[in-house]
Each structure stands twice: as C-alpha cells, then as structure tokens.
Amino acid sequence: MALIREGRGLKPSARAAGIGKETAYRWLRDEYLRLRGDGLDHAAAQTGLGFFSGRAREWNERFLEDRDGRHHFQVAPAVEEAFWSAYLGGAVLKAAAAAAGVNQSTGYRWLYRRFMLLRSGLPAARVGRELRLLPATLAAWEARRTKHLAAEKARLRQVHLDGIREARGFAEHAARPLSAAQARRAVRETRYWELVNAGVSNARPCRMLGMSRNIGTRLRNRRAAQPPGQAGQSSGRYLSLRERLQIADLLRLGCSLRRIGRELGRAPSTIKRELDRHRDGQGRYLPRTADHNALRRRRRPRERKLKANRRLRALVQRKLNRRWSPEQICGWLALRFPAESGLRLCPETIYRALLFNDDGALDKKYSARLRTGRKIRKHRWRTGSGHGATVQDMTMIGRRPPEVETKAEAGHWEGDLIVGPGSVSAVVTLRERKTHYGIIINLPADHTAATTNQAITAAFAVLPAHLKRTLTWDQGVEMARHRELAAATGTRIYFAERSSPWQCGANENFNGLARQYFPKGTDLSVHSEDHVRGVCAELNTRPRKSLGYLTPQALFRAEKKLVPATAR
C-alpha cells in the first residue's frame, strides 16, 4: 500500500512486496471499501488509495449493495427493533425475545452487544441500570469485557511488533534492484570501484568485467558529480534508501521518532531532520523521492550563488570597490535585506570566489581590494602543506603504565620548553609527578634536539635509576631524537596527544610558577646558570598544599634515599 501511494504501479509494488497480482488487487479492494465505510465518496476513496482502475467501479457497486454492513444470515432490522421496543418497555429478556419472534440466545447476544457499545462511553453502573442487568450478570460481563480488552491490546501490540519486524525485511527487499539485470549491474559497478580504488586504470577493470570503456567512463563521470563516499558502497554517514523505506513504514505504524531511531541505530534528531527536509506540502514522507532529492542536493560542485544571482554579485562588487571586508558586506546584506533570503551570504563564499581558481563569478581584480591584497589562498587541507608529524616512532601517553597516573611511586617526569621571543632562547623544565620536584635548565643559544638531549642527560645523570623511570613530553621538534635520549638516560619516553596540554598538567603548573621569574616576551639567554639554579631552589623549597605543606625538595631527598624493592 505504501508503494502504491508513492505512485508506483501495481505489478512493481506487488513484486517488491513478494505477493501475486490478484492478492494485491484484493488488498486494494479491502482498503477501498474501508475508505468508503469511513464516509469518503468514490473519487475521494480512489485518491486516498492512490490507485485508479476500472475495477474500482465494481468495488463501488459492491459497497452500495452491502452498505448496511449486515451479514446475510442476520435477521431483518425490523425484528431487532421490535425486540428493543419490548425490552426497553419493561419486558424481561425472554418475553422481549418471544415478542420479536427470536429465541432467547439471540436476545441475550443483542443485549451483550448493546452493553459493550454503551460501556465504551459510560460507567458500568449506569449501563447496568439502563439495561436492567442483575449485579451478577453485570460483574460477569464486566470481567469478560476487561479480558477481551486486554487480549485485544496484546494482539494489537503483537501486530505492531510484527509490523516493525517485517518492515526491516521489506525495506531490504524493496531497496534491492528489481530485475536480475539491475542486480548484475550493481555487482559489476561495485567490483569496478574495488579495482579502481586498488590502483587499476580504467581499461583493465573494463576488460576484466566484460564491459566497454565507455561504461567505465560514465561511471567515473557520475562519481565526479557526487560527494566522496557516495559512489560504490555507502559510508554509513548518510541515510540509505533502505533506511528511508523503513522510516516510511514505521511512520505508518505510528512509531515515535525515538522508536524509529532505535530501530535504525540513528539519533532521533537525525530522523526529525530527515522528515523536516523531505515531507511534501501535504505532510507525506515519500522515501524514494526523499532519496532522490538527498542525492541531488549532495552533488558537487554546486552552482555558485554569486554566479547565479546577478543582483547579489553587483552589490558585492560595489562594496568591495569601497574596500569593505567580506564580513562587513555579509552583515550589511542581512541588515539591509532581512526579508530576501536570496541576498544572504557568508564571508567564506566571497573569499572562495576571490582567492580560489574556480569560477566563483567575481573578477580577480577585486582581490586587491582586500585588506591583505592577497590573490590566492593556499588551503592547508587541499595542498597538504600543513604541519605534519615531525617526531617519528612515538609511544603515546595511552600506553603509559597506570602507576604514573596514581603517583604511587616516584621517578615519573613531565617535561617541556619555555621559549623566548623569536624562538631563539629557551629553558627546559622538568617536574617529577609524585614529589613535585622541578629542574630548570637554561638553553641560551638554541633548543635543537641534540642540545635538548644533552641538557636532559646531564640533569638525569646524577639521579639514581629508580628516580628516572619515565618522561612524558609534548610533540615538539626538540624530541626528534628521543630514542637517543632514552638510550642515554635509561628512561622510557611517552608523548602527549597533539594540542592536549592537560595531559602534562604537572609540568604546565610548574611552567606557570617559573614564569614568575622568566616573564613572557623576555630574552631568556640573559639569565646565568647561577640565577637559574637559584630560581629552581626557591621553587623546590616552597611548601605545597597538595603535599600537606611539605616541600618538594624534602620529599625528593627522602625518595632518593629509598632503596627500591627490586634492588634488595
């Protein structure tokens, strides 16, 4: 029925549902009679059904013949009216049935049917009084009604669950190609892209799959007009046709957005955005139309907004001539034309039209009107010229031993550089995690990997082995020769994630304390070794709240005197 309402023919819809044509006609007839029974006329019932056929005239004639809804074995309506006239007039059930000329069981059935009809809108006591029911009869019928309602509720729930389960299989079946030839083409296309992605040229997979090179060229051209990941198998980021078919079926079953999301493994907000985008003017969600529209909207490249709208392009060029920035232009457009959505832009649209070598509809002469006067933008994601990893063979912080986090033992250090202006001079800072003991080493000339290694090796040379277990550093270039440093000091070196200073929080705190003596923007090369040692001593003799107001120096000396259990 869903496929019929979407405008597909009878045979394709029946084939997709896995039924015969006559079964489909019978289902359509039953739905047509139901719509006519709800009060729709012949034309409105066909429109609601979404199916127009000559057989509808036969269905209409049948409805007109049986519109009273009574079974052909039922007695005439006048007989039942005679029974109710006698019963409501004060006669007992047996006498009322005899007056109507029916047996007592028929009268009893009519009375129970009237009880169920009245009970749906009135309380039990009032219905009992109106029908003159004995208390025992009223209690028995009320229990029977409760049991019937519970059974009906359980049945409807089971039907609902069965419908949800069957919707999954139907969506899978309906999303498949409908013919064997379409299925073969789909398999061939998938295999073609597997070979192309493996580095094979166009001609070779065409020969292997038995198709002409023109077909391969068409596949490539079609992929060029689609976003990455759309050709071949779906990446799972976007809703597929199968999921859209399942959404349509679950909506007709009355499922909530959260229930639909659980069935599809998607967020409810994803389902809501899908319905908001693709419902038509009548509020209907048509899955195949929605899938077609979604693919069309995702095609790249899109038509440039400045190229398509001459008025908008003229306004932008006029303001660029007056040396307005793109952000000022976009803000002015939103303020000047609040009701015209076609005259809205974001600053990036103007920048892309000016600085990229694609046809953005703005002449490159307007680039000179920008504040920087730049004529081209080297986008780091396109050119690949961004800052890559300079430290090789890193062991990341996630593989660091758990005792480092718990601070159960000493000997685990964190390190970093404090860099002076122009990145010329620098200071190495090291801090032990358990005792908060810090070491500062001045590098007045440079902070290359070799110089940094030499400074740290000299600082660790005077420490016992149990106080130089690990060292955690960020991914700075000064650690490019970290393997040599690990071999020279016997320390395991770990690296924090990029742009994650909180992973070396102890050292960041120590750097903040050191900045009291080495302010930002000052030349660090002017500090003598004696001055640096004095600063280090001052910091290590300050009492710390986190240490119970003990000093780092006292705790570090105590740890230094301890003999580790492995050495005993």
Side-chain angles (χ1 to χ4, degrees), residues 403-404 406-412 432 434 469 492 559:
E403 54 267 21
V404 180
T406 60
K407 302 181 182 180
E409 60 183 14
H412 300 288
E432 202 280 319
K434 181 180 179 181
R469 304 175 192 271
R492 291 171 292 172
E559 291 288 344

Side-chain angles (χ1 to χ4, degrees), residues 263-524:
E263 289 295 322
L264 271 65
R266 300 279 189 174
S269 57
T270 301
I271 309 302
K272 184 179 185 304
R273 286 194 299 269
E274 171 70 13
L275 296 176
D276 290 344
R277 289 190 190 111
H278 299 297
R279 285 188 189 272
D280 61 10
Q282 302 176 359
R284 299 176 304 174
Y285 176 73
L286 306 178
R288 292 186 180 273
T289 304
D291 191 67
H292 172 76
N293 292 339
L295 293 177
R296 179 176 53 81
R297 291 173 182 172
R298 283 162 50 195
R299 293 188 188 278
R300 298 295 187 274
R302 293 182 178 176
E303 186 179 18
R304 305 298 184 188
K305 193 170 185 178
L306 286 170
K307 185 177 181 179
N309 194 328
R310 296 180 59 184
R311 182 187 176 196
L312 178 62
R313 183 169 67 252
L315 288 170
V316 171
Q317 290 174 346
R318 191 179 307 150
K319 299 306 178 183
L320 284 173
N321 265 333
R322 297 177 61 183
R323 299 186 183 277
W324 286 25
S325 70
E327 186 174 2
Q328 291 169 338
I329 295 172
C330 296
W332 175 80
L333 287 171
L335 186 64
R336 179 67 177 80
F337 307 101
E340 298 185 50
S341 58
L343 296 180
R344 299 290 182 86
L345 280 178
C346 68
E348 182 63 16
T349 302
I350 301 177
Y351 279 118
R352 292 181 66 90
L354 290 173
L355 301 181
F356 284 122
N357 290 324
D358 50 6
D359 185 12
L362 287 181
D363 197 296
K364 301 305 176 186
K365 67 180 182 181
Y366 293 103
S367 300
R369 298 294 183 176
L370 296 176
R371 181 178 58 83
T372 60
R374 187 177 298 141
K375 295 184 178 181
I376 190 170
R377 175 194 286 179
K378 295 183 66 176
H379 201 296
R380 57 178 175 170
W381 305 122
R382 281 191 176 182
T383 61
S385 60
H387 188 277
T390 56
V391 182
Q392 304 297 323
D393 302 324
M394 294 184 294
T395 304
M396 302 308 296
I397 194 172
R399 299 174 61 183
R400 198 168 62 173
E403 54 267 21
V404 180
E405 296 294 334
T406 60
K407 302 181 182 180
E409 60 183 14
H412 300 288
W413 298 79
E414 293 178 359
D416 198 3
L417 289 182
I418 295 178
V419 183
S423 190
V424 177
S425 57
V427 168
V428 175
T429 60
L430 300 167
R431 189 177 193 181
E432 202 280 319
R433 285 179 56 83
K434 181 180 179 181
T435 63
H436 295 189
Y437 185 80
I439 299 175
I440 303 177
I441 311 165
N442 194 16
L443 303 178
D446 62 73
H447 48 91
T448 62
T451 305
T452 305
N453 281 7
Q454 183 179 359
I456 298 175
T457 303
F460 278 5
V462 298
L463 300 179
H466 71 279
L467 287 183
K468 46 183 180 180
R469 304 175 192 271
T470 66
L471 173 63
T472 304
W473 207 277
D474 60 16
Q475 299 184 26
V477 292
E478 65 274 5
M479 280 288 118
R481 298 168 66 174
H482 62 92
R483 288 188 174 277
E484 299 177 12
L485 177 62
T489 60
T491 305
R492 291 171 292 172
I493 300 178
Y494 299 91
F495 290 88
E497 300 290 344
R498 188 179 294 277
S499 302
S500 303
W502 59 87
Q503 295 182 347
C504 295
N507 186 261
E508 292 293 331
N509 177 267
F510 186 68
N511 287 350
L513 298 177
R515 279 295 189 184
Q516 293 179 305
Y517 303 90
F518 310 109
K520 288 186 177 182
T522 60
D523 186 3
L524 302 179

